[in-house]
Amino acid sequence: MIAYLLDPNNWAGSGGIPVLVGQHLVYTAVALLIAGVIGVPAGLYVGHTGRGVVVIAGFANALRALPTLGLIVLLVMIVAPLIASDLAFVIPSIIVLVLLAIPPIMTNTYAGIRAVDAAAVDAAVGMGYRPLKVLFSVQVPCALPLIISGFRGATLQVISTATIAAYVSLGGLGRLIIDGRAQNDYDKMLVGALLVAILALVVDLLLALASRVFVSPGLDRRTSRIPLRVRRAAVPAS
Protein backbone atom coordinates (compact mmCIF):
# COMPACT_ATOMS: atom_id res chain seq x y z
CA MET A 1 0.00 0.00 0.00
CA ILE A 2 2.82 2.41 0.88
CA ALA A 3 4.56 1.56 -2.39
CA TYR A 4 1.34 2.31 -4.30
CA LEU A 5 0.98 5.69 -2.60
CA LEU A 6 4.63 6.60 -3.24
CA ASP A 7 4.51 5.67 -6.93
CA PRO A 8 4.37 8.97 -8.93
CA ASN A 9 2.50 7.23 -11.76
CA ASN A 10 -0.51 6.78 -9.46
CA TRP A 11 -0.72 10.53 -8.89
CA ALA A 12 -0.63 11.60 -12.55
CA GLY A 13 -2.99 11.40 -15.50
CA SER A 14 -6.75 11.12 -15.79
CA GLY A 15 -6.76 8.10 -13.47
CA GLY A 16 -4.48 9.62 -10.87
CA ILE A 17 -5.45 9.95 -7.23
CA PRO A 18 -5.95 13.77 -7.31
CA VAL A 19 -8.36 13.47 -10.25
CA LEU A 20 -10.28 10.65 -8.57
CA VAL A 21 -10.55 12.65 -5.33
CA GLY A 22 -11.82 15.66 -7.31
CA GLN A 23 -14.46 13.54 -9.06
CA HIS A 24 -15.52 12.07 -5.73
CA LEU A 25 -15.93 15.53 -4.25
CA VAL A 26 -17.92 16.74 -7.26
CA TYR A 27 -20.40 13.85 -6.96
CA THR A 28 -20.70 14.56 -3.24
CA ALA A 29 -21.17 18.32 -3.63
CA VAL A 30 -23.80 18.02 -6.35
CA ALA A 31 -25.76 15.40 -4.40
CA LEU A 32 -25.66 17.45 -1.18
CA LEU A 33 -26.72 20.62 -2.99
CA ILE A 34 -29.75 18.96 -4.55
CA ALA A 35 -30.62 17.15 -1.31
CA GLY A 36 -30.37 20.46 0.58
CA VAL A 37 -32.70 22.19 -1.88
CA ILE A 38 -35.26 19.43 -1.29
CA GLY A 39 -34.70 18.48 2.35
CA VAL A 40 -34.25 21.87 4.03
CA PRO A 41 -37.50 23.50 2.78
CA ALA A 42 -39.44 20.32 3.60
CA GLY A 43 -37.99 20.22 7.11
CA LEU A 44 -38.62 23.94 7.63
CA TYR A 45 -42.24 23.64 6.54
CA VAL A 46 -43.04 20.64 8.71
CA GLY A 47 -41.12 22.00 11.69
CA HIS A 48 -42.72 25.44 11.48
CA THR A 49 -46.29 24.37 10.80
CA GLY A 50 -46.37 20.99 12.56
CA ARG A 51 -48.12 19.52 9.53
CA GLY A 52 -47.01 16.36 7.77
CA VAL A 53 -44.88 14.94 10.58
CA VAL A 54 -46.05 11.39 9.88
CA VAL A 55 -45.47 11.85 6.15
CA ILE A 56 -41.94 13.20 6.56
CA ALA A 57 -41.03 10.43 9.01
CA GLY A 58 -42.37 7.72 6.72
CA PHE A 59 -40.69 9.26 3.68
CA ALA A 60 -37.33 9.48 5.45
CA ASN A 61 -37.52 5.88 6.68
CA ALA A 62 -38.49 4.68 3.20
CA LEU A 63 -35.48 6.41 1.63
CA ARG A 64 -33.15 4.93 4.23
CA ALA A 65 -34.38 1.44 3.37
CA LEU A 66 -33.57 1.73 -0.35
CA PRO A 67 -30.79 -0.61 -1.56
CA THR A 68 -28.32 1.80 -3.15
CA LEU A 69 -26.47 -0.64 -5.40
CA GLY A 70 -29.61 -2.30 -6.72
CA LEU A 71 -31.27 1.08 -7.26
CA ILE A 72 -28.37 2.52 -9.26
CA VAL A 73 -28.33 -0.52 -11.55
CA LEU A 74 -32.10 -0.26 -12.05
CA LEU A 75 -31.90 3.45 -12.85
CA VAL A 76 -29.07 2.91 -15.33
CA MET A 77 -31.15 0.28 -17.12
CA ILE A 78 -34.03 2.78 -17.33
CA VAL A 79 -32.03 5.88 -18.28
CA ALA A 80 -29.38 4.38 -20.57
CA PRO A 81 -31.74 3.71 -23.53
CA LEU A 82 -32.91 7.33 -23.35
CA ILE A 83 -29.54 9.12 -23.14
CA ALA A 84 -26.57 8.23 -25.34
CA SER A 85 -23.82 9.79 -23.24
CA ASP A 86 -22.09 9.53 -19.87
CA LEU A 87 -25.13 11.27 -18.37
CA ALA A 88 -26.85 7.89 -18.59
CA PHE A 89 -24.56 6.85 -15.72
CA VAL A 90 -24.08 10.20 -13.98
CA ILE A 91 -27.78 10.94 -13.49
CA PRO A 92 -28.63 7.61 -11.79
CA SER A 93 -25.59 7.94 -9.53
CA ILE A 94 -26.55 11.45 -8.44
CA ILE A 95 -30.18 10.41 -7.90
CA VAL A 96 -29.14 7.57 -5.59
CA LEU A 97 -26.81 9.83 -3.60
CA VAL A 98 -29.50 12.51 -3.31
CA LEU A 99 -32.00 9.98 -1.99
CA LEU A 100 -29.40 8.89 0.55
CA ALA A 101 -28.69 12.47 1.72
CA ILE A 102 -32.27 13.74 2.02
CA PRO A 103 -33.33 11.88 5.24
CA PRO A 104 -30.67 13.24 7.64
CA ILE A 105 -30.95 16.77 6.22
CA MET A 106 -34.74 16.80 6.31
CA THR A 107 -35.19 15.20 9.73
CA ASN A 108 -32.49 17.30 11.39
CA THR A 109 -33.98 20.48 9.96
CA TYR A 110 -37.41 19.50 11.26
CA ALA A 111 -36.03 18.51 14.66
CA GLY A 112 -34.03 21.73 14.94
CA ILE A 113 -37.06 23.92 14.25
CA ARG A 114 -39.25 21.97 16.69
CA ALA A 115 -36.58 22.23 19.39
CA VAL A 116 -36.51 26.04 19.36
CA ASP A 117 -37.58 27.50 22.70
CA ALA A 118 -41.30 28.30 22.51
CA ALA A 119 -40.72 31.40 24.62
CA ALA A 120 -38.46 32.86 21.92
CA VAL A 121 -41.10 32.20 19.27
CA ASP A 122 -43.85 33.72 21.44
CA ALA A 123 -41.70 36.81 22.05
CA ALA A 124 -41.18 37.28 18.32
CA VAL A 125 -44.90 36.90 17.64
CA GLY A 126 -45.63 39.38 20.43
CA MET A 127 -43.31 41.88 18.73
CA GLY A 128 -45.42 41.63 15.58
CA TYR A 129 -43.22 39.30 13.53
CA ARG A 130 -45.03 37.59 10.69
CA PRO A 131 -44.72 33.76 10.39
CA LEU A 132 -41.95 33.86 7.77
CA LYS A 133 -39.97 36.42 9.78
CA VAL A 134 -40.36 34.27 12.89
CA LEU A 135 -39.05 31.30 10.91
CA PHE A 136 -36.00 32.96 9.38
CA SER A 137 -35.16 35.46 12.13
CA VAL A 138 -35.70 33.25 15.17
CA GLN A 139 -36.22 29.57 14.44
CA VAL A 140 -33.63 28.97 11.71
CA PRO A 141 -30.75 30.70 13.57
CA CYS A 142 -31.60 28.72 16.71
CA ALA A 143 -31.88 25.48 14.74
CA LEU A 144 -28.53 25.89 12.93
CA PRO A 145 -26.60 23.43 15.14
CA LEU A 146 -28.96 20.57 14.27
CA ILE A 147 -29.29 21.61 10.63
CA ILE A 148 -25.51 21.59 10.18
CA SER A 149 -25.38 18.27 12.05
CA GLY A 150 -27.79 16.87 9.46
CA PHE A 151 -25.52 18.03 6.64
CA ARG A 152 -22.53 16.46 8.39
CA GLY A 153 -24.30 13.13 8.67
CA ALA A 154 -25.45 13.31 5.05
CA THR A 155 -21.94 14.21 3.89
CA LEU A 156 -20.37 11.21 5.59
CA GLN A 157 -22.96 8.87 4.09
CA VAL A 158 -22.64 10.32 0.60
CA ILE A 159 -18.83 10.28 0.58
CA SER A 160 -18.74 6.65 1.71
CA THR A 161 -21.45 5.60 -0.76
CA ALA A 162 -20.23 7.60 -3.77
CA THR A 163 -17.84 4.73 -4.46
CA ILE A 164 -20.77 2.97 -6.17
CA ALA A 165 -20.41 5.42 -9.08
CA ALA A 166 -17.42 3.35 -10.20
CA TYR A 167 -19.71 0.32 -10.39
CA VAL A 168 -21.39 1.93 -13.43
CA SER A 169 -18.11 2.98 -15.09
CA LEU A 170 -17.78 6.46 -13.57
CA GLY A 171 -14.83 7.93 -11.68
CA GLY A 172 -14.19 8.73 -8.06
CA LEU A 173 -12.25 6.83 -5.44
CA GLY A 174 -14.49 3.83 -5.99
CA ARG A 175 -12.49 3.34 -9.19
CA LEU A 176 -9.54 2.15 -7.10
CA ILE A 177 -11.70 -0.35 -5.25
CA ILE A 178 -13.55 -1.70 -8.29
CA ASP A 179 -10.47 -1.88 -10.53
CA GLY A 180 -8.36 -3.31 -7.70
CA ARG A 181 -10.91 -6.06 -7.17
CA ALA A 182 -10.99 -6.86 -10.89
CA GLN A 183 -7.19 -7.01 -11.02
CA ASN A 184 -6.78 -8.82 -7.67
CA ASP A 185 -4.70 -5.81 -6.61
CA TYR A 186 -5.50 -5.65 -2.91
CA ASP A 187 -3.04 -2.83 -2.28
CA LYS A 188 -5.01 -0.70 -4.72
CA MET A 189 -8.29 -1.64 -3.04
CA LEU A 190 -6.89 -0.82 0.39
CA VAL A 191 -5.63 2.56 -0.82
CA GLY A 192 -9.07 3.35 -2.22
CA ALA A 193 -10.81 2.45 1.03
CA LEU A 194 -8.24 4.39 3.06
CA LEU A 195 -8.59 7.51 0.92
CA VAL A 196 -12.39 7.41 1.20
CA ALA A 197 -12.11 7.24 4.99
CA ILE A 198 -9.57 10.08 5.12
CA LEU A 199 -11.66 12.22 2.78
CA ALA A 200 -14.76 11.70 4.92
CA LEU A 201 -12.88 12.65 8.08
CA VAL A 202 -11.33 15.76 6.52
CA VAL A 203 -14.66 17.02 5.14
CA ASP A 204 -16.39 16.31 8.45
CA LEU A 205 -13.68 18.29 10.26
CA LEU A 206 -14.16 21.22 7.88
CA LEU A 207 -17.93 21.17 8.51
CA ALA A 208 -17.29 21.07 12.25
CA LEU A 209 -15.08 24.15 11.92
CA ALA A 210 -17.76 25.85 9.81
CA SER A 211 -20.25 25.10 12.57
CA ARG A 212 -18.04 26.91 15.07
CA VAL A 213 -17.88 29.93 12.77
CA PHE A 214 -21.56 30.23 11.88
CA VAL A 215 -23.23 28.98 15.06
CA SER A 216 -23.30 30.96 18.28
CA PRO A 217 -21.46 29.10 21.08
CA GLY A 218 -24.53 29.51 23.29
CA LEU A 219 -26.73 27.81 20.69
CA ASP A 220 -24.19 25.02 20.20
CA ARG A 221 -24.25 24.24 23.93
CA ARG A 222 -28.03 24.21 23.97
CA THR A 223 -28.18 21.25 21.58
CA SER A 224 -27.13 19.04 24.47
CA ARG A 225 -30.31 20.07 26.29
CA ILE A 226 -32.68 19.27 23.42
CA PRO A 227 -35.34 16.75 24.52
CA LEU A 228 -34.32 13.15 23.89
CA ARG A 229 -37.36 12.39 21.72
CA VAL A 230 -36.43 15.27 19.39
CA ARG A 231 -32.77 14.26 19.16
CA ARG A 232 -33.75 10.67 18.35
CA ALA A 233 -35.84 11.92 15.45
CA ALA A 234 -32.80 13.68 14.06
CA VAL A 235 -30.40 10.73 14.22
CA PRO A 236 -30.12 8.84 10.89
CA ALA A 237 -30.96 5.17 11.11
CA SER A 238 -27.96 2.89 10.75
Side-chain angles (χ1 to χ4, degrees), residues 11-65:
W11 293 83
S14 58
I17 290 176
V19 173
L20 297 180
V21 171
Q23 292 171 339
H24 207 94
L25 288 174
V26 169
Y27 299 151
T28 300
V30 172
L32 288 173
L33 177 62
I34 298 173
V37 170
I38 298 172
V40 171
L44 292 178
Y45 174 79
V46 176
H48 182 66
T49 64
R51 302 172 184 170
V53 176
V54 175
V55 174
I56 198 174
F59 181 65
N61 289 331
L63 292 183
R64 287 168 178 157

Side-chain angles (χ1 to χ4, degrees), residues 208-228:
L209 294 176
S211 178
R212 288 182 174 271
V213 172
F214 293 108
V215 178
S216 166
L219 289 175
D220 207 17
R221 287 194 296 268
R222 287 183 58 185
T223 56
S224 62
R225 299 198 296 270
I226 293 174
L228 180 60

